[in-house]
Amino acid sequence: MAEIKDGIATKRILLIDDDELTVNALAQRLERRGYQTMVLTNPANVMETLAREKFDIVLLDMVMPKVGGLEVLLSIRKVYNKTQLPVIIVTILNDSTEMSSAFSAGVNDYLAKPFSIDAGIERIKAHINSCELQREQLKLRELEVVRAMVVTYNHEFNNAVGIAKVELDLLKTKITDPDSLNRLDRALARITEIVQKISDAGKSSEISFANYVNDIKMVKIKN
């Protein structure tokens, strides 16, 4: 879990590079700027590490002798999309074909070696913030759909209960036993109370989401 400092969660960066000296130096510089880092010099262990640890972003060296950066990136993207886990490749390559392959594989951005720590941090911050915003927007959209479905189900429920209430009212005319009538009256009163509570709870949602449901036409009720 991310460390909390002054009420703010410290961002965690996974650094993947087989050059231990270089990657540790970068990790130290990032930590001096307030980030938490984890160094992985064996890229073959990346998926095991990601399954065990949570990171906000990955800095991935493109050129590694045993397992190349592109292969590592493809493995990551099989599990995490660009919004769930942003990846920035770090490379000395100036090959447009290689870079095109990296972007096709799902890299978010790249840093060309050598780069200044300030430039690197600006890219890191930009992608962490952008992905966090996209994830929040996705959650809000999902919540909108759920609430719209609640409104729709509420309407269906009210209709069904309304029909049942009418039938029970008719049934009262055929019951002569006082105790049975009393129990039925209490049941009808309870049904009325429940319907009113559901109706009151759904009114604000109906106002907020009626247009949303009509516009996207995606909420369907399965019988």
Side-chain angles (χ1 to χ4, degrees):
M1 294 180 64
E3 181 182 347
I4 305 296
K5 290 184 178 180
D6 299 324
I8 301 173
T10 303
K11 303 305 180 184
R12 299 194 71 206
I13 304 174
L14 177 62
L15 305 171
I16 306 173
D17 192 334
D18 66 319
D19 186 337
E20 189 171 347
L21 185 63
T22 300
V23 73
N24 282 328
L26 177 58
Q28 290 175 8
R29 297 176 75 184
L30 289 169
E31 287 173 0
R32 284 198 291 268
R33 298 296 187 94
Y35 291 94
Q36 277 190 313
T37 66
M38 180 174 179
V39 169
L40 193 63
T41 56
N42 182 1
N45 296 333
V46 62
M47 298 314 298
E48 178 185 341
T49 302
L50 290 175
R52 187 178 63 250
E53 305 274 352
K54 180 175 174 56
F55 299 95
D56 296 286
I57 197 166
V58 174
L59 263 61
L60 170 64
D61 189 58
M62 195 65 173
V63 181
M64 294 180 286
K66 293 183 179 179
V67 182
L70 187 59
E71 184 178 345
V72 174
L73 176 62
L74 288 169
S75 296
I76 292 173
R77 286 293 172 253
K78 288 179 181 178
V79 180
Y80 306 95
N81 64 36
K82 293 173 68 173
T83 301
Q84 292 170 328
L85 183 62
V87 177
I88 297 177
I89 58 171
V90 181
T91 181
I92 57 173
L93 296 177
N94 191 21
D95 186 330
S96 59
T97 302
E98 191 77 20
M99 295 305 299
S100 177
S101 297
F103 278 101
S104 296
V107 75
N108 293 70
D109 204 349
Y110 76 97
L111 286 166
K113 293 181 181 180
F115 61 89
S116 72
I117 191 65
D118 289 331
I121 286 176
E122 283 303 311
R123 298 279 186 90
I124 290 168
K125 286 170 60 177
H127 285 287
I128 289 177
N129 292 339
S130 174
C131 289
E132 285 182 343
L133 179 60
Q134 290 179 61
R135 289 194 295 269
E136 287 302 316
Q137 290 174 337
L138 178 60
K139 287 179 182 178
L140 287 174
R141 287 196 296 269
E142 290 173 346
L143 180 60
E144 297 271 310
V145 172
V146 170
R147 291 182 64 185
M149 291 180 68
V150 168
V151 171
T152 304
Y153 279 119
N154 176 38
H155 177 70
E156 296 290 327
F157 176 77
N158 284 343
N159 286 344
V161 171
I163 293 171
K165 189 172 180 297
V166 169
E167 294 297 326
L168 288 173
D169 281 329
L170 290 174
L171 183 61
K172 283 178 61 177
T173 63
K174 300 178 181 180
I175 296 176
T176 57
D177 178 59
D179 290 336
S180 296
L181 281 171
N182 187 39
R183 287 194 296 271
L184 187 55
D185 281 336
R186 289 200 301 270
L188 285 168
R190 181 59 177 157
I191 290 172
T192 301
E193 180 185 355
I194 292 171
V195 169
Q196 186 60 50
K197 286 182 177 180
I198 294 174
S199 177
D200 291 342
K203 282 179 181 177
S204 60
S205 297
E206 286 178 355
I207 295 170
S208 301
F209 297 103
N211 292 335
Y212 179 79
V213 176
N214 292 335
D215 288 344
I216 61 174
K217 300 184 185 301
M218 64 181 295
V219 177
K220 296 181 180 179
I221 306 299
K222 292 184 178 180
N223 296 324

